[in-house]
């Protein structure tokens, strides 16, 4: 074996520059993309798919489609213990739960004791938490990352999708969407 | 007046950098040799002037001169001295000025002390250094002037982000910065060597102390940053794979690879193009990291001074420097590739493997960090966390530990596996035994921590082997450095693995007088009292904690409230024992009047940071060894030159 580079470096020598160019294009896009980052989900206005998830934590029941047909609008929060933005939104979720909003959770690709630790650390605003190990439910409702929060009306229809963590400035919007879903 | 002086000397320094760049370029052109003499003095003057400018800014912060916009926005007259000082760089403009200061001062030092390099390569290096600095000068002078005055002095300052009001964070960013900037010197050396086609052992020896120095500071910075995140964020974790953490890890990985390949180039004249490439990559990673943190392009828990416009400016600099350097590399690399040959089983080959695996780790960390951005380009927001980073990085890290154990035992150029089989048998056996013991005595722990403990134990033993059979008093300091650094990696790995395998947690709602247990520790809540600090008030719990039947110690976790700017921060309390750490956090008061408290017992977690410091200490030993060696050699050469000149005279 000689030095790791071939004797006559061919096109490979330009590979770093090509990768860097790719990086450059990506971040240029990231910087200039429109300020309105809301992506309207194709799932809004559609009923939740059929699912029945087992419980993700010892002290909360699991979650199924039937839980959303109670006549009362609810929040469905998609989270994971390994997701840092999920920890950031926990105070907002706690505030919502305290003001009487019912929040159900779906833990994505998670482990029971990790979920327990996450909830112990960040508080537990959830009434029910389903365990979605293969992201089946997540994909079924048009969510592709964590955290995301859905407003579901009393008939189990998706009315609003919030992508990313709920920040303090998003609270009014979430409450308004909940109110609209209840009408 | 101070602010005006600061700004004026900053302009002057920038002007000198322009001169330095152009005199360097013309000196390298045919017939321009005469210009070469100016480059060194210019670099020294530039460093001195920018240092004056930075001192002026420090003075403004210490005086809390509220007529200066930057001070008014980031400081407060009531702030403790140390945070006034740290406020100088705890903001965007100040940190950029710190960056350019360290860079220019380093350039001045290179100009003063570097004697090994060919003169034209040194001139190209200093011109490159001036070129890189110019971007930062432009940034400061045109878009982020730190000395800008307010029309009306502010009545009081806005204060400093409470999260940053911590002694750890006061010194963590400058430590990392010295590391980043050290890599900029290495980058300039790489550019200089490419321009003059002078990539050889002399270039590697000139570059090595800067890489080592940068790497030591990065190691200390990352270790301190991890400990800071651990005790101030109140989450009890030491690494979150957050973009900001990755931003410092990536240059470290590249610098570690560079450190090893530069040694191969220095002593064996091999891996030429590869070393130059890593020199470019290491600095690219510092800049990309800075860009990711500053531009707000990625969501992070502790990104600060986020501003997309400034992000664009850094991005433009990135395009010019990194794009330019990679293009230069593409054009010139073919002229520098030839180097000494070595066999598949040799010290060189093991270092190539180490490089490949470090770069592999770097690639997956970079990919994971950018992945959310990539998927967002296709309309999906994704967060990538430990389920990706932990197992995927282990694919590279665990085999790297094996190479680390074996590589230093190999001979340069060519070796036979049979020669070291007996030597490595002991650590290999130790690894197997520890693995067996963990499986038997601690069933149910996860695979990665289990492997981490076993491999860590084996590596700890193996890392000492290079000292075997040596005369310890005549062993070079750099060999001790390597041994200590590798041992430190093993110690850190053991700490990390033990923490993730054996941590226990307790969340409790407690009344004063209640008792709880976490792991082997019994905790009693004695009282909750309000306390006041210089610029905060807090609720402070007093708890007594006893390990098994031992004597209790008293801890004071606090929940602090800051007023300017308003903010809250938990101040966790730590109790460290030889075999682990108790971590206590005071939460909120519940509706029933009981206090939410969280406790962790984290066995052997201090080993993690002790390991980090050992790694840095190893680097320091190696640096001292190299510098001492160079000084001795220069002196010897000086004597020879003196003797020769005497002979000439006597003839």
């Amino acid at each position: 074996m000689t030095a790791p580079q071939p004797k006559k470096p061919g096109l490979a020598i330009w590979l770093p520059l090509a990768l860097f160019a790719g990086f450059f294009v990506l971040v240029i896009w990231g910087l200039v993309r429109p300020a309105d980052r809301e992506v309207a989900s194709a799932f809004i206005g559609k009923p939740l798919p059929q699912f029945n998830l087992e419980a993700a934590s010892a002290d909360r029941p699991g979650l199924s489609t039937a839980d959303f047909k109670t006549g009362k609008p609810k929040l469905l929060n998609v989270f994971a213990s390994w997701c840092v933005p999920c920890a950031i939104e926990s105070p907002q979720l706690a505030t919502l739960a305290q003001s009487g909003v019912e929040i159900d959770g779906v833990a994505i690709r998670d482990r029971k004791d990790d979920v327990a630790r996450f909830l112990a650390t960040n508080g537990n605003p959830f009434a029910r938490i389903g365990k979605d190990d293969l992201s089946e439910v997540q994909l079924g409702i048009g969510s592709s990352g964590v955290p995301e929060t859905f407003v579901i009306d009393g008939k189990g229809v998706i009315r609003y999708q919030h992508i990313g963590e709920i920040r303090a400035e998003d609270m009014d919007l979430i409450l308004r969407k909940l109110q609209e879903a209840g009408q | 007046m101070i602010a005006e002086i600061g700004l004026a000397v900053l302009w002057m320094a920038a002007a000198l950098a322009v001169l330095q760049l152009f005199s360097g370029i013309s000196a390298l052109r045919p017939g321009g040799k005469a210009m070469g003499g100016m480059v060194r003095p210019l670099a020294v003057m530039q460093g001195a002037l920018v240092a004056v400018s930075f001192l002026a800014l420090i003075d403004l912060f210490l005086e809390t001169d509220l007529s200066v916009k930057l001070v008014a926005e980031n400081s407060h007259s009531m702030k403790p001295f140390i945070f006034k000082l740290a406020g100088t760089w705890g903001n965007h403009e100040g940190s950029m000025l710190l960056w350019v200061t360290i860079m220019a001062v380093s350039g001045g030092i290179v100009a003063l002390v570097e004697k090994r390099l060919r003169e034209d390569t040194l001139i190209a290096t200093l011109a490159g250094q001036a070129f890189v600095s110019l971007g930062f000068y432009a940034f400061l002078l045109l878009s982020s002037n730190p000395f800008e005055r307010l029309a009306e002095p502010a009545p009081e300052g806005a204060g400093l982000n409470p999260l940053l009001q911590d002694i750890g964070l006061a010194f963590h960013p400058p430590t990392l910065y010295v590391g980043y900037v050290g890599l900029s010197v290495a980058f300039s050396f790489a550019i200089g060597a490419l321009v003059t086609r002078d990539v050889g052992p002399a270039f590697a020896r000139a570059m090595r102390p800067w890489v080592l120095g940068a790497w030591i500071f990065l190691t200390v910075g990352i270790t301190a940053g991890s400990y800071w995140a651990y005790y101030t964020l109140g989450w009890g974790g030491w690494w979150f794979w957050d973009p900001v953490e990755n931003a410092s890890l990536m240059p470290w990985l590249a610098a570690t690879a560079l450190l090893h390949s530069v040694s191969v180039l220095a002593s064996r004249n091999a891996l030429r193009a590869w070393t130059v490439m890593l020199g470019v990559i290491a600095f690219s990673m510092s800049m990309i990291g800075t860009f990711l943190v500053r531009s707000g392009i990625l969501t992070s828990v502790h990104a600060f001074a986020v501003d997309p416009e400034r992000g664009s400016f850094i991005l433009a600099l990135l395009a010019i420097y990194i794009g330019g350097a990679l293009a230069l590399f593409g054009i010139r690399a073919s002229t520098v590739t030839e180097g000494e040959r070595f066999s598949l089983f040799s010290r060189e080959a093991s270092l190539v493997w180490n490089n490949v695996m470090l770069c592999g780790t770097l690639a997956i960390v970079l990919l994971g960090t950018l992945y959310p951005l990539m998927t967002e380009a296709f309309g999906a927001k994704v967060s990538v966390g430990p389920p990706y980073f932990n197992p995927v990085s282990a694919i590279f890290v665990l085999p790297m530990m094996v190479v680390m154990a074996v590589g230093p035992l190999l001979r340069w150029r060519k070796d036979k596996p049979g020669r070291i089989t007996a030597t490595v048998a002991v650590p290999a056996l130790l690894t197997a035994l520890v693995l067996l013991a963990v499986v038997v005595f601690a069933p149910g722990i996860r695979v990665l921590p289990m492997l981490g403990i076993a491999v860590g134990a084996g590596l700890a033993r193996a890392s000492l082997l290079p000292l075997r059979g040596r005369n310890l008093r005549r062993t070079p300091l750099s060999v001790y450095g390597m041994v200590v650094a590798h041992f430190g990696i093993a110690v850190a790995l053991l700490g990390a693995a033990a923490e993730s395998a054996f941590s226990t947690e307790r969340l409790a709602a407690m009344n004063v007088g209640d008792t709880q247990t976490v792991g082997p520790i019994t905790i009693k809540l004695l009282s909750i009292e309000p306390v006041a600090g210089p610029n905060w008030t807090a609720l402070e719990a007093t708890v007594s904690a006893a390990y098994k039947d031992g004597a209790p110690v008293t801890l004071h976790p606090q929940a602090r409230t800051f007023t300017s700017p308003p903010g809250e921060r938990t101040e966790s309390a730590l109790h460290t024992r030889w075999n682990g750490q108790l971590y206590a956090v005071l939460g909120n008061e519940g509706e029933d009047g009981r206090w939410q408290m969280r406790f962790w017992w984290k066995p052997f977690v201090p080993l993690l940071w002790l390991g980090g410091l050992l790694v840095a200490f190893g680097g320091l030993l190696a640096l001292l060894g190299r510098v001492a060696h160079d000084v001795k050699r220069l002196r010897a050469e000086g004597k020879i030159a003196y003797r020769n000149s005497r002979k000439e005279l006597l003839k």
Side-chain angles (χ1 to χ4, degrees):
Chain A
M1 183 173 175
T2 61
Q5 63 274 6
K7 218 174 156 191
K8 275 226 163 93
L11 287 175
I13 212 90
W14 297 98
L15 188 68
L17 187 61
L19 288 175
F20 178 73
F23 166 82
F24 190 72
V25 170
L26 179 70
V27 294
I28 285 275
W29 172 82
L31 282 178
V32 301
R33 79 196 135 159
D36 177 28
R37 299 188 195 173
E38 295 296 328
V39 185
S41 164
F43 290 76
I44 287 172
K46 295 199 174 151
L48 288 171
Q50 287 298 322
F51 62 84
N52 191 2
L53 297 175
E54 65 165 290
S57 88
D59 55 349
R60 294 287 191 278
L63 189 65
S64 74
T65 318
D67 296 323
F68 291 95
K69 296 184 177 163
T70 56
K72 195 182 163 210
K74 284 186 187 182
L75 290 182
L76 176 60
N77 180 251
V78 178
F79 75 101
S81 68
W82 44 265
C83 143
V84 173
C86 295
I88 300 177
E89 73 174 358
S90 56
Q92 280 71 251
L93 288 182
T95 311
L96 286 167
Q98 267 167 18
S99 60
V101 177
E102 196 170 318
I103 308 174
D104 291 335
V106 173
I108 305 298
R109 294 175 189 267
D110 225 325
R111 288 152 30 92
K112 271 195 170 176
D113 43 346
D114 288 339
V115 172
R117 189 175 308 131
F118 178 82
L119 297 176
T121 309
N122 297 293
N124 187 346
F126 302 111
R128 297 164 170 276
I129 309 172
K131 192 166 174 331
D132 189 10
D133 285 345
L134 301 171
S135 293
E136 282 169 323
V137 171
Q138 187 188 23
L139 295 175
I141 58 177
S143 152
S144 48
V146 279
E148 285 190 21
T149 307
F150 293 81
V151 175
I152 316 285
D153 70 11
K155 296 181 205 110
V157 176
I158 302 172
R159 298 291 290 269
Y160 175 68
Q161 177 180 19
H162 183 90
I163 296 174
E165 75 273 17
I166 300 177
R167 299 181 170 217
E169 61 265 29
D170 303 324
M171 294 288 278
D172 288 341
L173 180 68
I174 298 282
L175 287 168
R176 202 175 67 235
K177 294 286 180 186
L178 268 169
Q179 207 180 8
E180 286 170 12
Q183 282 160 3
Chain B
M1 198 48 199
I2 300 286
E4 282 68 33
I5 293 173
L7 185 60
V9 291
L10 191 60
W11 273 105
M12 281 153 71
L16 290 189
V18 175
L19 263 178
Q20 187 180 328
L21 174 62
F22 284 104
S23 56
I25 292 174
S26 39
L28 293 174
R29 288 169 159 264
K33 268 219 151 121
M35 297 295 283
M38 282 171 67
V39 177
R40 280 186 197 243
L42 278 173
V44 176
M45 279 300 290
Q46 187 211 332
L49 283 177
V50 77
V52 170
S53 176
F54 187 65
L55 288 176
L57 191 65
I58 290 184
D59 183 66
L60 293 173
F61 267 87
L62 292 185
E63 303 278 337
T64 320
D65 184 340
L66 294 168
S67 67
V68 174
K69 190 163 165 246
L70 191 68
V71 178
E73 281 174 358
N74 293 287
S75 198
H76 193 283
S77 59
M78 296 290 285
K79 231 167 37 167
F81 171 83
I82 195 78
F83 295 123
K84 282 186 180 172
L85 178 66
T88 317
W89 54 77
N91 59 76
H92 173 80
E93 285 81 357
S95 62
M96 282 292 140
L97 184 58
L98 174 64
W99 178 299
V100 82
T101 303
I102 304 174
M103 201 146 100
V105 170
S106 309
I109 296 173
V110 171
L112 279 177
V113 304
E114 187 48 57
K115 303 244 155 50
R116 282 156 299 196
L117 271 187
R118 248 166 52 187
E119 191 63 20
D120 61 338
T121 309
L122 180 72
I123 287 171
T125 300
L126 289 175
Q129 182 84 359
F131 186 51
V132 177
S133 309
L134 269 177
F136 291 89
Y137 283 122
F139 196 13
L140 281 165
L141 292 169
L142 305 179
S143 97
S144 328
N145 174 11
F147 296 105
E148 190 179 335
R149 294 265 191 198
L150 290 170
E152 280 288 312
E156 189 45 276
L160 175 72
N161 180 348
L163 266 182
L164 305 182
Q165 295 201 28
D166 182 277
I167 192 73
L169 212 64
F171 293 98
H172 163 65
T175 314
L176 282 180
Y177 263 38
V178 177
Y180 287 176
V181 179
L183 292 180
S184 90
V185 180
F187 175 83
S188 308
F189 272 115
I191 299 301
L194 274 177
V195 167
T196 57
R197 295 190 178 86
D198 179 29
V199 181
F203 148 76
R205 285 195 198 107
M207 181 171 166
R208 180 161 57 187
W210 293 94
V211 179
L212 249 175
W215 182 81
I216 294 166
F217 277 96
L218 283 177
T219 310
V220 172
I222 291 174
T223 308
S226 152
Y227 194 61
W228 169 81
Y230 169 80
Y231 79 78
T232 54
L233 295 184
W235 298 347
W238 48 271
W239 196 265
F240 302 100
W241 296 105
D242 181 273
V244 173
E245 293 178 333
N246 291 348
S248 61
L249 180 65
M250 291 189 292
W252 185 85
L253 288 168
T256 311
L258 174 59
L259 187 61
H260 289 90
S261 81
V262 89
S263 288
V264 175
L265 182 54
S267 46
R268 304 296 310 167
N269 195 14
L271 304 186
R272 290 177 175 177
W274 185 239
T275 304
V276 173
M277 181 77 229
L278 281 174
V280 173
I281 288 183
F283 179 60
S284 307
M285 287 303 149
S286 333
M287 281 203 71
I288 287 177
T290 310
F291 165 74
L292 292 179
V293 174
R294 290 299 166 79
S295 62
I297 204 163
L298 296 170
T299 331
S300 157
V301 262
H302 43 256
F304 73 107
V306 165
D307 181 341
E309 254 171 55
R310 286 165 179 169
S312 317
F313 206 119
I314 305 181
L315 189 62
L317 296 185
L318 263 173
I320 297 169
Y321 298 140
I322 312 306
L326 290 174
L328 179 67
F329 179 78
I331 298 165
R332 282 289 165 83
S334 56
T335 65
V336 298
T337 45
E338 238 355 89
E340 296 290 326
R341 306 299 179 91
F342 49 88
S343 91
L344 253 177
F345 196 79
S346 63
R347 177 84 72 89
E348 287 98 324
S350 80
L351 285 163
V352 169
W353 272 109
N354 134 306
N355 266 244
V356 168
M357 283 181 281
L358 281 166
C359 292
T361 319
L362 173 61
I364 59 153
V365 175
L366 182 62
L367 190 68
T369 310
L370 292 178
Y371 189 71
L373 195 61
M374 289 193 255
T375 56
E376 212 176 320
F378 299 99
K381 250 194 156 176
V382 171
S383 169
V384 178
Y388 163 81
F389 285 109
N390 285 344
V392 179
S393 54
I395 292 172
F396 291 97
V397 170
L398 287 174
M400 187 154 63
M401 302 289 157
V402 178
V403 177
M404 238 167 84
V406 177
L409 304 172
L410 297 179
R411 289 191 175 138
W412 290 111
R413 209 168 70 79
K414 202 161 177 248
D415 205 347
K416 289 194 192 75
R419 196 182 62 81
I420 61 158
T421 328
T423 324
V424 260
V426 178
L429 196 66
L430 181 66
T431 305
L433 283 176
V434 171
L435 191 61
L436 193 69
V438 175
V439 172
V440 173
F441 295 109
I445 69 172
R446 279 177 272 176
V447 175
L448 285 182
M450 195 187 287
L451 287 175
I453 292 171
V455 171
L459 178 61
R461 175 72 191 89
S463 60
L464 302 177
L465 290 175
L467 291 177
R468 230 177 50 146
R470 273 180 178 271
N471 178 343
L472 291 183
R473 297 180 64 181
R474 302 190 59 179
T475 302
L477 213 47
S478 57
V479 173
Y480 279 111
M482 174 191 74
V483 167
V484 171
H486 286 184
F487 186 73
I489 294 276
V491 170
L493 180 65
L494 280 171
E499 192 270 343
S500 85
F502 304 120
S503 276
T504 49
E505 183 186 1
R506 174 62 51 106
L507 176 74
M510 298 174 85
N511 280 319
V512 170
D514 283 358
T515 302
Q516 280 288 342
T517 59
V518 56
I521 294 189
T522 312
I523 298 149
K524 188 171 184 193
L525 178 59
L526 298 178
S527 68
I528 302 240
E529 305 277 348
V531 292
N535 57 344
W536 46 264
T537 56
L539 281 173
E540 180 179 280
T542 303
V543 297
S544 81
Y547 182 84
K548 289 188 176 154
D549 296 326
V553 291
T554 310
L555 276 79
H556 300 282
Q558 294 177 343
R560 284 189 187 171
T561 307
F562 288 79
T563 43
S564 54
E568 289 185 3
R569 209 185 80 196
T570 58
E571 188 79 2
S572 53
L574 298 172
H575 171 56
T576 310
R577 289 176 50 85
W578 68 271
N579 62 347
Q581 204 166 45
L582 171 69
Y583 187 115
V585 176
L586 173 63
N588 298 321
E589 190 177 8
E591 280 168 22
D592 56 357
R594 294 193 298 172
W595 295 88
Q596 292 281 340
M597 302 210 66
R598 267 183 297 151
F599 305 104
W600 281 272
W601 168 244
K602 291 177 173 293
F604 298 106
V605 68
L607 289 184
L608 179 63
W609 300 293
L610 178 69
L613 292 180
L614 275 175
V615 173
F617 181 63
L620 184 65
L621 287 181
L623 182 60
L624 290 177
R626 298 285 176 215
V627 171
H629 182 82
D630 285 348
V631 169
K632 211 185 274 175
R633 220 197 46 185
L634 284 177
R635 245 192 225 149
E637 278 170 6
K639 266 183 201 154
I640 294 165
Y642 175 72
R643 234 177 269 154
N644 288 348
S645 61
R646 286 288 300 258
K647 269 184 205 156
E648 291 288 316
L649 279 177
L650 291 175
K651 259 178 201 170

